[in-house]
C-alpha cells in the first residue's frame, strides 16, 4: 500500500528564521509555509502518513489533513511505497556553466564607442552569450542599430536593453519595430514612463517590451531586492547554493570604460582602452565575490527566499563588511514583513556613504 507522501525532486524546502518555503522549480512558483508543515517531512523527503496519524489527537488530525490537502492541491508530492522511494532520487544540486563569463553588463550614457567586432571577439573568447545594455540617457536609433548589427552574426544568444523614454512621435512603434527586427533581444525596458507594466508580451523568452515609471539615470539605481525580481528556476537555485548569483561569472563596464565585476561596484580591474577583458578576469581579486553564497551573508542566511533572490554586493548595509546584507533589501526574515528600504533610518549611514540621499528623502 502506498503510504508515504514523497516530495517531487523539483519541489525544494528552504527553511528561514520564522517560516519556510516550498520552491516549485518546475512551475517557477514559491509557497511560504509554516515550520510545522515542513517538520512532517523526514530527511528523505517523505511524510509517513499512517505513522503520524497514530500520534495525533482529533484537533491535530484536522490540521494534519489540511496540510495534506494543501500539498496535494499544489502537487508538491505523490504517494508511493517504501520500496519505491529509492526510485525517486533528489534533484542534483550541481551547478555547471561551460563559460569563463556568463553575462556582461555594459553601462552607457548615450553611446558605446568601444563596442565593435574586436570587443565582441573578446567576449566570445570568454564564452559569454548574454549581454545587458543599460543606457542612462537617450540613445540614438543609429547607435542601437549599429550595436545590434554587430551582435546579429555572433554567438551571443540573448540581449537585454534598458533605455529612457524618448518624447518623440511614434516612439513606441519604433521600439516595437526594433525589437521585432532583432530576434536576439530577450527584453527591452523603457525607463521613466508614466506607468510600470508589460507593454508587450514576448514569445519563448524573447521580444518582451517592459515599462517602468522609475527614472534610472545612473548605476546607483542597481541592486534593489524585491519579490517581483525573484528568479525561481533550477539554474538560479543550484547556483545560489555555492555561488553569488549576482556576480558569479559576470563582467561589467561602467560609463567611463572601467572594467568591473559589476558597473555599480567601486573597484575596477583596468580600462577598456588598455586592458583586455581576459586579463581583467585573470586578476586574483576579480573572482573575490563569486563564491560568496547566501549562507555566508548576514540576514540572507536566515531568509526563506535566499535561493531565488538576487544578492547585490555593490551596496551593503555595512559598506566595509563584505558579508553584510544588501542595502536595498526591505525584507525582514524574522517577522516575514516587507518595508520600503529607502525609509529605514537604520540605513542612513550607508546611504550617506554611497551618496544616495536623493533616493532616500524620507531618511
Amino acid at each position: 500500500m502506498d503510504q508515504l507522501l514523497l516530495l517531487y525532486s523539483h519541489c525544494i524546502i528552504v527553511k528561514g528564521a520564522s517560516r519556510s518555503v516550498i520552491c516549485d522549480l518546475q512551475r517557477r512558483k514559491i509557497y511560504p509555509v509554516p515550520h510545522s508543515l515542513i517538520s512532517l517531512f523526514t530527511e528523505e523527503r517523505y511524510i509517513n502518513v499512517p505513522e503520524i496519524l497514530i500520534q495525533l489527537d482529533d484537533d491535530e488530525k484536522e490540521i494534519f489533513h489540511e496540510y495534506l490537502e494543501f500539498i496535494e492541491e499544489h502537487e508538491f508530492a505523490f504517494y508511493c511505497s517504501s520500496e519505491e522511494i529509492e526510485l525517486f532520487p533528489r534533484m542534483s544540486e550541481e551547478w555547471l556553466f561551460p563559460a569563463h563569463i556568463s553575462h556582461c553588463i555594459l553601462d552607457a550614457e548615450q553611446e558605446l564607442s568601444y563596442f565593435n567586432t574586436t570587443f565582441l571577439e573578446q567576449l566570445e573568447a570568454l564564452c559569454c552569450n548574454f549581454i545587458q545594455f543599460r543606457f542612462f540617457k537617450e540613445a540614438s536609433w543609429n547607435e542601437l542599430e549599429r550595436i545590434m548589427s554587430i551582435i546579429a552574426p555572433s554567438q551571443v544568444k540573448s540581449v537585454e536593453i534598458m533605455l529612457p523614454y524618448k518624447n518623440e512621435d511614434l516612439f513606441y512603434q519604433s521600439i516595437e519595430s526594433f525589437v521585432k527586427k532583432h530576434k536576439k533581444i530577450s527584453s527591452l525596458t523603457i525607463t521613466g514612463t508614466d506607468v510600470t507594466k508589460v507593454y508587450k508580451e514576448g514569445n519563448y523568452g524573447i521580444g518582451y517590451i517592459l515599462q517602468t515609471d522609475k527614472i534610472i539615470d545612473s548605476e546607483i539605481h542597481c541592486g534593489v531586492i524585491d519579490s517581483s525580481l525573484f528568479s525561481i528556476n533550477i539554474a538560479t537555485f543550484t547556483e545560489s547554493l555555492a555561488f553569488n548569483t549576482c556576480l558569479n561569472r559576470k563582467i561589467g563596464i561602467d560609463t567611463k570604460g572601467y572594467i568591473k565585476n559589476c558597473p555599480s561596484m567601486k573597484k575596477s580591474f583596468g580600462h577598456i582602452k588598455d586592458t583586455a577583458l581576459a586579463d581583467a578576469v585573470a586578476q586574483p581579486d576579480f573572482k573575490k565575490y563569486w563564491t560568496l553564497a547566501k549562507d555566508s551573508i548576514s540576514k540572507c542566511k536566515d531568509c526563506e527566499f535566499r535561493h531565488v533572490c538576487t544578492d547585490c554586493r555593490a551596496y551593503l548595509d555595512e559598506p566595509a563588511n563584505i558579508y553584510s546584507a544588501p542595502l536595498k533589501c526591505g525584507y525582514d526574515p524574522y517577522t516575514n514583513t516587507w518595508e520600503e528600504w529607502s525609509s529605514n533610518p537604520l540605513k542612513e549611514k550607508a546611504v550617506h556613504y554611497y551618496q544616495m540621499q536623493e533616493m532616500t528623502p524620507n531618511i
Side-chain angles (χ1 to χ4, degrees):
M1 179 179 177
D2 295 343
Q3 300 176 322
L4 307 181
L5 190 58
L6 179 66
L7 277 175
Y8 284 103
S9 63
H10 61 270
C11 292
I12 312 293
I13 294 170
V14 181
K15 293 182 179 180
S18 299
R19 66 179 177 184
S20 300
V21 294
I22 297 177
C23 297
D24 186 336
L25 301 177
Q26 182 169 311
R27 292 192 171 103
R28 301 192 173 197
K29 294 183 178 181
I30 194 165
Y31 300 85
V33 292
H35 287 327
S36 55
L37 187 156
I38 297 307
S39 66
L40 299 173
F41 287 94
T42 67
E43 288 295 323
E44 288 74 32
R45 304 172 16 250
Y46 67 80
I47 298 175
N48 190 322
V49 177
E51 184 178 279
I52 290 178
L53 281 172
I54 294 173
Q55 306 171 37
L56 304 179
D57 59 30
D58 289 342
D59 290 339
E60 290 171 334
K61 285 180 181 178
E62 183 177 349
I63 296 173
F64 180 62
H65 283 298
E66 288 178 359
Y67 283 167
L68 294 183
E69 288 175 6
F70 174 77
I71 292 168
E72 294 171 17
E73 176 187 353
H74 294 287
E75 300 181 310
F76 295 140
F78 61 96
Y79 285 97
C80 65
S81 66
S82 57
E83 292 79 15
E84 294 172 320
I85 287 285
E86 63 182 22
L87 300 176
F88 305 100
R90 295 177 183 272
M91 183 188 77
S92 172
E93 295 182 350
E94 186 176 26
W95 182 83
L96 294 173
F97 195 90
H100 300 290
I101 293 293
S102 61
H103 292 73
C104 176
I105 303 173
L106 304 179
D107 281 0
E109 295 292 339
Q110 294 176 295
E111 60 181 29
L112 289 163
S113 58
Y114 61 82
F115 192 89
N116 52 33
T117 54
T118 301
F119 174 83
L120 198 56
E121 286 170 359
Q122 292 187 59
L123 277 183
E124 289 179 326
L126 294 170
C127 304
C128 178
N129 286 324
F130 305 93
I131 305 178
Q132 181 184 42
F133 297 93
R134 305 193 302 193
F135 290 94
F136 300 130
K137 294 183 180 178
E138 294 181 4
S140 70
W141 292 113
N142 286 340
E143 176 68 353
L144 294 171
E145 288 288 354
R146 183 187 72 83
I147 288 170
M148 292 308 301
S149 68
I150 294 171
I151 290 174
S154 74
Q155 72 179 27
V156 173
K157 294 180 179 179
S158 177
V159 173
E160 294 181 356
I161 299 174
M162 183 186 76
L163 49 83
Y165 172 74
K166 187 183 298 186
N167 188 15
E168 66 178 23
D169 293 338
L170 304 179
F171 175 70
Y172 282 100
Q173 289 91 329
S174 298
I175 289 289
E176 287 191 58
S177 177
F178 177 71
V179 171
K180 183 178 180 180
K181 175 181 178 182
H182 299 288
K183 303 301 183 183
K184 291 189 175 184
I185 297 177
S186 57
S187 68
L188 188 150
T189 301
I190 308 165
T191 64
T193 62
D194 293 335
V195 64
T196 296
K197 67 175 185 178
V198 176
Y199 175 80
K200 184 177 178 62
E201 292 280 356
N203 290 304
Y204 305 104
I206 63 170
Y208 286 85
I209 301 176
L210 314 172
Q211 294 181 201
T212 176
D213 58 4
K214 296 186 182 302
I215 297 174
I216 302 176
D217 54 8
S218 76
E219 74 287 344
I220 205 168
H221 294 272
C222 188
V224 175
I225 307 297
D226 188 270
S227 59
S228 65
L229 302 175
F230 286 169
S231 182
I232 309 169
N233 56 64
I234 293 174
T236 298
F237 189 96
T238 53
E239 183 180 15
S240 75
L241 297 175
F243 300 97
N244 182 279
T245 53
C246 188
L247 297 177
N248 181 43
R249 311 287 179 97
K250 308 296 195 302
I251 193 170
I253 300 177
D254 69 13
T255 56
K256 297 180 180 178
Y258 288 99
I259 304 169
K260 301 178 177 181
N261 293 128
C262 165
S264 300
M265 300 188 79
K266 290 184 177 295
K267 184 174 177 57
S268 70
F269 298 87
H271 195 278
I272 191 61
K273 288 184 178 179
D274 51 31
T275 305
L277 297 182
D279 292 338
V281 173
Q283 295 183 43
D285 281 351
F286 190 87
K287 301 177 182 179
K288 178 180 178 179
Y289 294 95
W290 285 17
T291 55
L292 191 60
K294 296 292 178 59
D295 288 336
S296 301
I297 296 170
S298 61
K299 191 172 82 166
C300 294
K301 62 185 179 183
D302 296 324
C303 181
E304 65 272 28
F305 299 120
R306 62 189 178 274
H307 295 309
V308 297
C309 182
T310 54
D311 176 29
C312 175
R313 296 290 88 199
Y315 307 116
L316 308 176
D317 278 348
E318 302 172 40
N321 178 9
I322 65 171
Y323 300 100
S324 178
L327 174 64
K328 299 181 183 181
C329 177
Y331 183 67
D332 186 339
Y334 311 104
T335 62
N336 307 132
T337 57
W338 289 88
E339 68 174 10
E340 176 53 50
W341 74 270
S342 60
S343 60
N344 187 336
L346 297 178
K347 297 179 182 283
E348 182 177 5
K349 187 175 180 180
V351 164
H352 281 272
Y353 176 84
Y354 294 117
Q355 299 180 356
M356 293 181 177
Q357 292 89 329
E358 291 185 4
M359 296 177 61
T360 56
N362 296 321
I363 290 184

